[in-house]
Each structure stands twice: as C-alpha cells, then as structure tokens.
Amino acid sequence: MSTLFIEAFNALLQRYHFAVSGGFTREEQARFTLQKGLESAVVVAYSCEDTDSAVELQKHVKELIDGNAIPQPI
C-alpha cells in the first residue's frame, strides 16, 4: 500500500480511538465514521489508479463490516 494511504488509514484509526476513548462520541457512531472514511479512501485509491492500495483498504472495510473488528494500524 502506498505511503499516502497508509497515513490516511492510520489517521482514521487514530480518530476512531480518540473519539471512543475520550467519550466524545458513541462507539457505534465512531465505527460508522471509520467505515465511511475507509470506503472513501477505497474510492480515492481507485481514482488514483492505485489498485494495490484499494484492494488492501477494501480488505479492511470487509473485516470491519463482517467481523466487527477494528483493524490494526499499519
């Protein structure tokens, strides 16, 4: 995955953890925001013709939706 998308992915995860641990938002809302952010990153990756990053990000979206597990930072 390209450095740009790694940084974006990790920033989304940091935002999620900050929101949940700080009590600023409900966990469900933070998870929804994380999911939508990852889905948007997939669209941007495909738009940039970076299919490797898009496929990797899609894998994390699927894990989030199917397993309800928060992905680990890269």
Side-chain angles (χ1 to χ4, degrees):
M1 188 178 337
S2 73
T3 305
L4 173 70
F5 290 107
I6 289 173
E7 291 175 5
F9 176 74
N10 288 333
L12 284 167
L13 287 174
Q14 287 176 349
R15 168 83 172 94
Y16 167 81
H17 289 295
F18 178 76
V20 171
S21 66
F24 301 112
T25 187
R26 294 181 318 170
E27 199 271 334
E28 296 84 15
Q29 183 62 38
R31 183 181 294 271
F32 178 78
T33 303
L34 175 60
Q35 178 185 337
K36 293 304 173 186
L38 286 173
E39 289 172 352
S40 296
V42 170
V43 171
V44 171
Y46 276 122
S47 296
C48 294
E49 297 181 1
D50 186 353
T51 54
D52 293 335
S53 295
V55 168
E56 183 72 22
L57 289 167
Q58 275 183 320
K59 181 184 83 162
H60 291 296
V61 171
K62 183 168 174 42
E63 289 174 0
L64 181 63
I65 294 170
D66 292 344
N68 289 326
I70 304 301
Q72 295 298 314
I74 298 175

